[in-house]
């Protein structure tokens, strides 16, 4: 006699049990396809299904199926087929995961895990920010001053700078007397620091705030105000303080005058009332 043993094995229709998306910038999208196979000797029909969240039928947070990815695909016997795309679009810097189901006419449902990680690139200047902190001599000479500012990539993703401008002006200059030197494209890895040189013409009176705009590929336009703090004893600062003090004094003067007029009116009213009572008593012979 010959003993025979047989085992039932659930066939797999996916080449991998998981699809992993590398770290992706927040607000961007990445596509991947799912590799499937038909281990049988008959045509296999498959369809990708993502679970829904909420009554509105919104797809799982962070993942969705691309155009045509929810259709029915036919895999010939003993053949492979990549279907999709599955799109990863993170809205916040965090980890994402969900389950993608492969509906088919061989195993009914087959699950594939989806994993994604997202990050964000950020730029930050030193503690003093973009402040020229002018000296008394620089203010007195009223010439052109130049400063070097340190900027660091503070996020967990690289920052790709594609352009810079001041208030939207061309050629890295502005009508407000501010100029960016070595205005160029660059890529900063997380934690990397670079220097940015700016010059300011003090003989130009700004009509509005000076804004340095840094255009990044994934993070949009970053805006940084540029300041020119003057020493307390400079004529410009003194003039500004004088205007503030005058406004302050004028305000107090108006308030004091108002109080004096109010009390004087009350006093005169009391005098008139007293005289009226006295005259009434005289007329009545009291």
């Amino acid at each position: 006699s010959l003993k025979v043993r047989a085992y039932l094995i659930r066939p797999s229709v996916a080449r991998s049990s998981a699809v992993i998306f590398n770290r992706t910038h927040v607000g961007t999208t990445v596509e991947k396809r799912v590799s499937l196979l038909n281990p049988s000797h008959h045509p296999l029909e498959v369809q990708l299904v993502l679970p829904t969240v909420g009554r509105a039928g919104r797809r799982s947070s962070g993942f969705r199926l691309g155009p045509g990815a929810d259709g029915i695909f036919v895999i010939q016997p003993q053949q492979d087929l990549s279907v999709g795309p599955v799109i990863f679009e993170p809205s916040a810097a965090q980890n994402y995961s969900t389950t993608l189901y492969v509906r088919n006419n061989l195993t009914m449902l087959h699950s594939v895990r989806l994993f994604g990680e997202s990050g964000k690139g950020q730029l930050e200047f030193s503690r003093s920010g973009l402040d020229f902190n002018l000296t008394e001599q620089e203010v007195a000479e009223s010439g052109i001053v130049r400063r070097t500012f340190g900027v660091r990539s503070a996020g967990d993703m690289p920052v790709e700078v594609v352009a810079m401008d001041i208030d939207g002006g061309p050629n890295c200059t502005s009508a407000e007397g501010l100029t960016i030197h070595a205005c160029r494209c660059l890529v900063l890895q997380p934690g990397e620091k670079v220097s940015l040189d700016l010059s300011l013409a003090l003989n130009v009176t700004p009509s509005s705030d000076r804004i340095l705009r840094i255009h990044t590929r994934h993070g949009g336009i970053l805006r940084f105000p540029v300041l020119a703090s003057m020493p307390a004893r400079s004529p410009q600062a003194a003039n500004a303080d004088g205007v503030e003090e005058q406004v302050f004094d004028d305000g107090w003067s108006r308030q004091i005058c108002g109080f004096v007029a109010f009390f004087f009116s009350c006093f005169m009213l009391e005098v008139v009332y007293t005289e009226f009572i006295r005259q009434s008593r005289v007329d009545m012979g009291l």
Side-chain angles (χ1 to χ4, degrees):
S1 63
L2 179 63
K3 293 183 179 181
V4 178
R5 291 183 178 179
Y7 299 92
L8 293 176
I9 299 177
R10 182 182 179 88
S12 174
V13 298
R15 284 292 184 185
S16 176
S17 61
V19 176
I20 301 176
F21 292 82
N22 296 328
R23 182 177 292 178
T24 304
H25 282 274
V26 172
T28 61
T29 61
V30 179
E31 296 182 358
K32 280 195 173 186
R33 303 183 75 84
V34 181
S35 181
L36 303 178
L37 74 156
N38 181 3
S40 70
H41 298 281
H42 304 280
L44 178 67
E45 294 184 354
V46 298
Q47 184 181 26
L48 301 182
V49 179
L50 266 178
T52 57
V53 178
R55 297 180 179 179
R58 182 172 52 87
R59 293 298 180 185
S60 299
S61 177
F63 300 95
R64 64 181 175 89
L65 296 179
D70 57 351
I72 297 177
F73 302 90
V74 178
I75 308 176
Q76 298 302 320
Q78 306 296 318
Q79 298 294 316
D80 294 355
L81 183 66
S82 293
V83 298
V86 178
I87 299 176
F88 176 48
E89 47 181 9
S91 58
Q94 62 184 46
N95 294 328
Y96 294 84
S97 65
T98 190
T99 300
L100 172 71
Y101 294 97
V102 183
R103 182 184 297 163
N104 62 93
N105 59 351
L106 179 64
T107 63
M108 299 301 292
L109 279 179
H110 188 89
S111 62
V112 177
R113 292 290 293 169
L114 302 180
F115 297 97
E117 183 181 2
S118 63
K120 190 175 183 179
Q122 296 178 337
L123 292 179
E124 65 178 21
F125 288 87
S126 58
R127 294 182 179 178
S128 59
L130 291 174
D131 193 340
F132 276 78
N133 288 317
L134 303 175
T135 64
E136 294 184 11
Q137 181 179 356
E138 291 171 338
V139 174
E141 294 176 352
S142 189
I144 297 177
V145 295
R146 183 165 175 166
R147 295 285 189 273
T148 298
F149 300 94
V151 58
R152 183 175 70 92
S153 175
D156 54 4
M157 294 289 288
V159 178
E160 184 177 355
V161 178
V162 297
M164 300 183 193
D165 64 63
I166 301 170
D167 305 321
N171 302 323
C172 295
T173 60
S174 75
E176 310 298 334
L178 188 63
T179 302
I180 308 174
H181 299 275
C183 189
R184 67 190 189 280
C185 301
L186 68 157
V187 178
L188 279 74
Q189 298 300 324
E192 185 178 357
K193 298 180 181 179
V194 295
S195 297
L196 183 64
D197 292 338
L198 302 178
S199 64
L200 178 65
L202 300 184
N203 58 353
V204 178
T205 302
S207 59
S208 61
D209 295 336
R210 302 180 178 98
I211 303 296
L212 169 65
R213 305 197 318 169
I214 299 180
H215 302 250
T216 63
R217 183 171 301 280
H218 301 292
I221 301 177
L222 308 179
R223 295 172 172 83
F224 302 93
V226 181
L227 307 177
S229 298
M230 295 179 291
R233 297 181 180 179
S234 66
Q236 290 86 343
N239 292 337
D241 293 341
V243 172
E244 292 179 358
E245 291 177 1
Q246 182 177 359
V247 173
F248 177 78
D249 292 340
D250 292 344
W252 272 105
S253 299
R254 287 192 295 269
Q255 292 184 15
I256 292 174
C257 291
F259 281 119
V260 171
F262 173 76
F263 284 115
F264 181 76
S265 300
C266 293
F267 174 75
M268 291 302 297
L269 182 61
E270 183 178 359
V271 171
V272 172
Y273 177 76
T274 303
E275 180 62 23
F276 173 76
I277 296 298
R278 187 188 66 80
Q279 188 64 36
S280 298
R281 289 182 177 181
V282 171
D283 294 341
M284 296 176 63
L286 297 178

